[in-house]
């Protein structure tokens, strides 16, 4: 189950239950778009193996998925604009497709991954 806060006219993801492995984030909660994943939200959550970030989510915060060592599949839908510093450091991502909407990728956002494609 995803944990969140409503901030103004958008939802910010702040966590999830520890047993999540296939994390398909919703594009809206309480009739408001999911606009951001807070910094450090999923840090060290080793159960996550697959992640889908909806296009309504404009920002993936710093260290948001740092050290999710079993995260192999990452799907960023069209609409994601910013990946902050160290967001996916030390995961196990093998391949990624970056959306055309992406405007900014922070320092070392994907450091420590084995991305081949």
């Amino acid at each position: 189950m995803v944990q969140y806060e409503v901030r103004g006219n958008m939802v910010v993801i702040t966590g999830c239950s520890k047993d999540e492995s296939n994390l398909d984030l919703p594009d809206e909660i309480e009739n408001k778009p999911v606009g951001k994943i807070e910094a450090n939200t999923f840090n060290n959550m080793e159960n996550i193996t697959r992640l889908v970030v909806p296009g309504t989510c404009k920002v993936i915060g710093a260290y948001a998925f740092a050290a999710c060592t079993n995260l192999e599949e990452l799907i960023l839908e069209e609409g994601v604009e910013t990946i902050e510093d160290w967001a996916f450091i030390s995961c196990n991502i093998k391949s990624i497709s970056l959306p055309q909407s992406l405007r900014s990728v922070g320092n070392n956002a994907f450091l420590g991954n084995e991305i081949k494609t």
Side-chain angles (χ1 to χ4, degrees), residues 33-52:
V34 170
K36 181 178 182 178
I37 300 169
E38 190 70 78
N40 296 300
T41 296
F42 300 100
N43 199 333
N44 289 308
M45 292 192 67
E46 296 177 354
N47 287 341
I48 299 174
T49 58
R50 179 178 182 272
L51 170 65
V52 178

Side-chain angles (χ1 to χ4, degrees), residues 1-5 7 11-18 23 25 34 36-46 48 51 57 59-68 84 86-87:
M1 174 178 284
V2 174
Q3 300 161 356
Y4 63 93
E5 295 176 4
R7 296 185 189 163
V11 171
V12 176
I13 301 294
T14 59
C16 73
S17 60
K18 296 283 183 190
L23 193 56
L25 297 175
V34 170
K36 181 178 182 178
I37 300 169
E38 190 70 78
N40 296 300
T41 296
F42 300 100
N43 199 333
N44 289 308
M45 292 192 67
E46 296 177 354
I48 299 174
L51 170 65
C57 183
V59 178
I60 300 171
Y63 295 94
F65 294 91
C68 290
E84 294 183 347
W86 312 95

Side-chain angles (χ1 to χ4, degrees), residues 29 52 87 101:
I29 300 173
V52 178
S101 57

Side-chain angles (χ1 to χ4, degrees), residues 11 15 20 26 29 47 53 86 91 102 109 115-116:
V11 171
E20 292 288 341
I29 300 173
N47 287 341
V53 179
W86 312 95
C91 295
L102 193 62
I115 298 172
K116 305 238 188 301

Side-chain angles (χ1 to χ4, degrees), residues 37-44 60-68 71 74 82-91 93 104-113:
I37 300 169
E38 190 70 78
N40 296 300
T41 296
F42 300 100
N43 199 333
N44 289 308
I60 300 171
Y63 295 94
F65 294 91
C68 290
L71 177 58
L74 174 61
T82 303
I83 300 172
E84 294 183 347
D85 297 346
W86 312 95
F88 294 97
I89 186 173
S90 300
C91 295
I93 300 169
S104 173
V105 177
N107 292 326
N108 300 307
F110 294 97
L111 184 70
N113 287 274

